[in-house]
Amino acid sequence: VLLLLVRNYGISEKVAGFVVSVPVMCSVPVVVFAGRLHKLGPEWAIRLLSFVEFLGLVLMFQVGELGGLGPLVMLMVGSTLLYAANWISNVPLAPLRRRICIRDHWALNVEGVTGLNLAMSFGGSFYGPVVSRAVLGVSMKQNLLVASLALAWLGCFLAVELGVQVLLQDERAGQGVGARGREGGSCQNDVGLNDGKRTERAEKAAG
């Protein structure tokens, strides 16, 4: 985006550096309200954030010729929505980790799942600008960059939507933890066992 601002909008590199920080700084207050997403439940919270990301991408598309502050403001507003929603998208996904992890698996236990999530997040933070620079190396058109972001968003949206549906299907069917939980291998089952043990100890102490 920094290169885009300098080449297409005629902004100096120094000013562009400040402008690029606007979406990040505007996203900070949003984090304060991220906890309220839990009230919506993971499924609808994720869909809400996906819609905000999509809205941000729509606003980032350039319509007509560049001129005045209008296109620049739209680009910054869209970038802010996209960045903020993507930043806090981990909030509704975090409670689902215990349903993904498998206690006795060397890679899919809770530590492994958390580490994989962090690795993918840092990997995206590194390769995102690299891919964006490669796209701008082909063409400096703003819409080409936004289209590449939209393609990545679509892939993530479909993957997350499918994954959440699989994780929540047992609850919809009223089957509790599900197959992995019945086999005694899920981290969510560990939570239930620990709660049961604490209740049993409390009853013995009271008796």
Side-chain angles (χ1 to χ4, degrees):
V1 177
L2 179 62
L3 181 62
L4 193 67
L5 293 176
V6 174
R7 297 283 184 85
N8 290 9
Y9 290 87
I11 301 176
S12 66
E13 294 183 0
K14 184 176 181 179
V15 175
F18 286 105
V19 174
V20 167
S21 66
V22 170
V24 180
M25 299 305 297
C26 292
S27 301
V28 173
V30 179
V31 180
V32 179
F33 303 98
R36 299 179 181 270
L37 291 172
H38 292 299
K39 295 182 180 180
L40 299 176
E43 185 176 10
W44 286 105
I46 292 171
R47 288 176 177 173
L48 174 62
L49 293 175
S50 296
F51 173 76
V52 174
E53 290 176 346
F54 178 74
L55 179 60
L57 288 170
V58 171
L59 293 177
M60 290 174 66
F61 268 100
Q62 176 189 337
V63 179
E65 298 295 331
L66 293 176
L69 291 177
L72 178 59
V73 171
M74 295 295 287
L75 176 63
M76 289 297 100
V77 172
S79 298
T80 300
L81 293 178
L82 177 64
Y83 186 88
N86 184 263
W87 191 9
I88 62 177
S89 61
N90 192 49
V91 173
L93 288 174
L96 298 179
R97 289 180 186 172
R98 66 180 184 179
R99 306 180 193 184
I100 301 173
C101 67
I102 302 176
R103 179 185 54 193
D104 297 326
H105 196 278
W106 66 273
L108 298 180
N109 52 35
V110 65
E111 293 83 4
V113 171
T114 302
L116 179 62
N117 178 70
L118 291 175
M120 294 183 68
S121 298
F122 283 112
S125 300
F126 176 78
Y127 284 106
V130 174
V131 173
S132 298
R133 182 63 182 87
V135 171
L136 292 177
V138 176
S139 174
M140 287 300 300
K141 292 183 178 180
Q142 178 176 320
N143 288 346
L144 180 61
L145 175 62
V146 179
S148 66
L149 294 175
L151 183 62
W153 173 86
L154 180 61
C156 291
F157 172 76
L158 294 177
V160 171
E161 185 71 16
L162 178 61
V164 170
Q165 295 302 319
V166 171
L167 290 173
L168 297 180
Q169 65 180 353
D170 287 339
E171 290 188 0
R172 294 196 183 97
Q175 296 176 356
V177 175
R180 288 184 304 173
R182 287 191 294 270
E183 293 171 359
S186 72
C187 296
Q188 182 170 348
N189 200 39
D190 289 346
V191 175
L193 290 174
N194 291 334
D195 291 342
K197 290 179 180 178
R198 284 194 292 268
T199 303
E200 184 179 353
R201 286 196 296 267
E203 291 177 351
K204 289 182 179 180

